[in-house]
Amino acid sequence: MSEAGYLLIREEIEDDLYTMYTNEVAVTTNSPQIPIQKEDYTTTKVVNRKTSMPSTRWTSTPYEVENELPCPLCNQWYSKANFSRHAKHHNVSTREILESHQETINQMIKRRKNN
C-alpha cells in the first residue's frame, strides 16, 4: 500500500517512472493458468422441469379427526403422535390397524364428527 502511494507521488514528479513499473508488473504477472472454460462456451444451463409425481408415502391423515386417530380394536381415540406406540400394543403397525378395519373406523369417524 505504501509502495503504491510512493509510486503515485513519484509519477507526479517523474512521468516515465510510473509507466516503467506498471509495464514491468504487467509482464511478470500474466496468468500461467490455462482457462478452464472455453470462451465460446455458453454458461447458461437449461433445466427441464419434471412433472411432480404424487407421493407414494403412506400417511394417516385421512383417518385423523382433531389431531387424533381411532383405534378400532379398543374403540377409543388416541393422539396422532402416540398412536404408533399404541398400535404396538396390538402387535401391528399404524398402517395395518387403520387399513384392515375400514368399516369400524368409518363409523368411529362419523360418530366423532357428528358430536
Side-chain angles (χ1 to χ4, degrees):
M1 197 66 174
S2 62
E3 184 181 357
Y6 170 76
L7 291 175
L8 288 173
I9 293 169
R10 291 286 307 249
E11 179 189 6
E12 292 291 324
I13 299 170
E14 301 173 19
D15 197 29
D16 294 334
L17 184 65
Y18 179 74
T19 55
M20 181 181 72
Y21 278 117
T22 55
N23 287 339
E24 181 182 329
V25 169
V27 169
T28 59
T29 59
N30 287 339
S31 176
Q33 184 177 0
I34 300 169
I36 296 172
Q37 196 172 20
K38 294 180 183 177
E39 290 183 20
D40 62 339
Y41 181 75
T42 58
T43 57
T44 307
K45 182 179 179 182
V46 178
V47 178
N48 296 330
R49 291 185 178 215
K50 295 180 181 178
T51 56
S52 60
M53 300 295 286
S55 176
T56 57
R57 185 175 180 182
W58 184 86
T59 63
S60 61
T61 306
Y63 306 100
E64 181 182 341
V65 177
E66 299 171 1
N67 207 26
E68 292 186 334
L69 294 172
C71 176
L73 303 176
C74 301
N75 205 23
Q76 291 184 357
W77 290 81
Y78 294 94
S79 167
K80 183 179 180 179
N82 296 327
F83 194 81
S84 179
R85 186 179 332 138
H86 171 75
K88 288 179 184 176
H89 291 292
H90 297 298
N91 296 321
V92 292
S93 68
T94 302
R95 183 177 185 173
E96 292 170 340
I97 200 169
L98 293 175
E99 288 184 345
S100 62
H101 299 89
Q102 284 288 339
E103 184 70 30
T104 309
I105 290 174
N106 289 338
Q107 290 174 1
M108 288 178 72
I109 292 173
K110 189 175 181 179
R111 272 188 267 136
R112 183 79 179 257
K113 287 184 177 181
N114 288 336
N115 290 339

